[in-house]
Amino acid sequence: MELISFIEITPFTAILLILVGFVGGMVSGFIGSGGAFVLTPAMMTLGAPGIVAVASNMCHKFPKALVGAVKRNKYGQVDIKLGLVLGLFAEGGVLFGKHVMTSIKHAFGAVGTDLYVSAMFVVTLAIVGGFVLKDYRKLKALDDAGDGSEQAPPITPLARWVQSVRIPGTMIYSKGAQAELSILFLIPIGFATGFLASAIAVGGFIGVPAMIYILGLPAIMASATELVIAFIMGLGGTIFYGLEGAVDIRLAMLILLGSLFGIQVGAIGTTYVKDYQVKFTMAVIMLTVLFSRFFYIPGYLGKLGMIEPLSESTERILKWIGDGVLALALIVGAWTVLAALYKGIHEHRRQHAVHTAQVGVTE
């Protein structure tokens, strides 16, 4: 069996990981996502096998998720009971997904996990990025028409039906949905969320939309409750993958160090932009990361003998393109957040100066 290898961390690599964590944190704070869809590919680009990148990313996420959940619970945004129940079922998905990952590792080696994680990223980001881009166009059209009200949309017909189903012995009350829900609906949602988290370290792509469109939670409560699920999944995933020797605590801590600062900057940036601008940024970064991973796949397929092996020069060129596209995604993310922050601060200072001048005139 091939042993799991960790990358060598030099002072330069450490600084690079902290910077990547900082940018990933900014993206996370700005778009309201875990940012792991940027961090996992970045760690793989720096040489970490897919299984190590996913495991280390899950390790870095759960302390952050716990802090976020506690903070948002103070504002009454977290449905703790629902989060714990979904988290329990998500843990089953994580355990099953870890078994899939390790089976691929034992059968095909580290390259097999690279291919698996990359393919999952391409498929997931294509679907989610497409939906986010569609949502951006809808929100922008409403804003252009002067109908960009921020009232919460009514629950979907599917959520209304789910809330109407009564199965004796399976019902729990959800504070977020303000209705009783059957655990039988929560099992597949939690399991799918955990499985995706075990594959790419991001489960919220399933969990948050499912809570909104299937269970009927408001968006703000769904995103806050997801932090409880992320904490449970991250802690369990760290243990499960740690028993396989796949967690690189050095990677996790360096990424965490950068992201803890970056997430504060990103969160401040959201106060100065409209919702559709956040959606646009999210879609652009997702689709850019998708193309980044796409360029690595032919090399993985060649190494595994699934296609004709690529020449060394061709594989090197494809890797350069993939690295460059990922760097572009990180630059776009950082530039968008910092530009929003700069414009917002500049506008705030301008308004403060105008207000001061008006006060001076009246006096």
Side-chain angles (χ1 to χ4, degrees), residues 128-143:
V128 178
F131 275 111
V132 173
L133 190 60
K134 181 180 178 182
D135 201 22
Y136 151 73
R137 290 173 176 170
K138 180 180 177 181
L139 290 172
K140 189 175 187 305
L142 289 173
D143 186 77

Side-chain angles (χ1 to χ4, degrees), residues 284-304:
V284 168
I285 297 174
M286 283 183 175
L287 297 176
T288 307
V289 173
L290 179 160
F291 284 111
S292 167
R293 279 292 102 197
F294 180 80
F295 286 107
Y296 290 92
I297 290 179
Y300 300 148
L301 292 173
K303 289 178 180 177
L304 293 171

Side-chain angles (χ1 to χ4, degrees), residues 43-308:
M43 284 190 274
M44 293 175 68
T45 296
L46 291 174
I51 186 173
V52 173
V54 170
S56 303
N57 208 346
M58 293 187 78
C59 179
H60 119 271
K61 282 181 64 176
F62 81 84
K64 216 167 51 172
L66 177 61
V67 173
V70 171
K71 184 175 182 179
R72 295 188 64 173
N73 186 54
K74 292 180 181 179
Y75 299 100
Q77 298 174 353
V78 179
D79 187 336
I80 297 177
K81 184 194 296 183
L82 182 63
L84 291 174
V85 173
L86 283 172
L88 177 64
F89 296 128
E91 208 66 88
V94 172
L95 183 58
F96 176 75
K98 189 273 303 184
H99 176 71
V100 172
M101 180 80 84
T102 53
S103 296
I104 292 173
K105 170 68 175 62
H106 294 156
F108 302 101
V111 177
T113 68
D114 291 342
L115 176 60
Y116 172 64
V117 174
S118 296
M120 289 291 288
F121 260 109
V122 169
V123 173
T124 303
L125 293 182
I127 296 172
V128 178
F131 275 111
V132 173
L133 190 60
K134 181 180 178 182
D135 201 22
Y136 151 73
R137 290 173 176 170
K138 180 180 177 181
L139 290 172
K140 189 175 187 305
L142 289 173
D143 186 77
D144 291 342
D147 189 27
S149 61
E150 296 186 4
Q151 294 182 351
I155 67 172
T156 63
L158 176 58
R160 192 173 294 111
W161 175 80
V162 167
Q163 293 179 6
S164 70
V165 174
R166 293 288 181 271
I167 303 175
T170 69
M171 308 302 294
I172 66 167
Y173 181 77
S174 166
K175 180 183 77 171
Q178 296 186 342
E180 286 193 328
L181 302 170
S182 172
I183 288 179
L184 298 182
F185 291 114
L186 305 184
I187 293 174
I189 293 174
F191 187 87
T193 301
F195 177 77
L196 187 63
S198 73
I200 62 174
V202 188
F205 287 157
I206 291 178
V208 173
M211 282 188 277
I212 295 172
Y213 300 113
I214 299 178
L215 303 182
L217 271 72
I220 192 169
M221 290 202 73
S223 62
T225 302
E226 172 62 25
L227 292 171
V228 176
I229 305 171
F231 166 71
I232 297 172
M233 291 190 303
L235 180 58
T238 299
I239 295 172
F240 297 150
Y241 276 119
L243 293 174
E244 299 289 336
V247 177
D248 188 338
I249 195 68
R250 304 168 307 159
L251 283 179
M253 292 302 100
L254 288 170
I255 289 290
L256 180 61
L257 177 61
S259 66
L260 286 175
F261 291 99
I263 198 169
Q264 304 299 325
V265 176
I268 295 171
T270 58
T271 62
Y272 299 116
V273 294
K274 296 182 178 180
D275 189 47
Y276 75 84
Q277 294 172 310
V278 175
K279 295 283 187 181
F280 178 73
T281 300
M282 187 176 182
V284 168
I285 297 174
M286 283 183 175
L287 297 176
T288 307
V289 173
L290 179 160
F291 284 111
S292 167
R293 279 292 102 197
F294 180 80
F295 286 107
Y296 290 92
I297 290 179
Y300 300 148
L301 292 173
K303 289 178 180 177
L304 293 171
M306 296 180 179
I307 63 172
E308 188 71 23

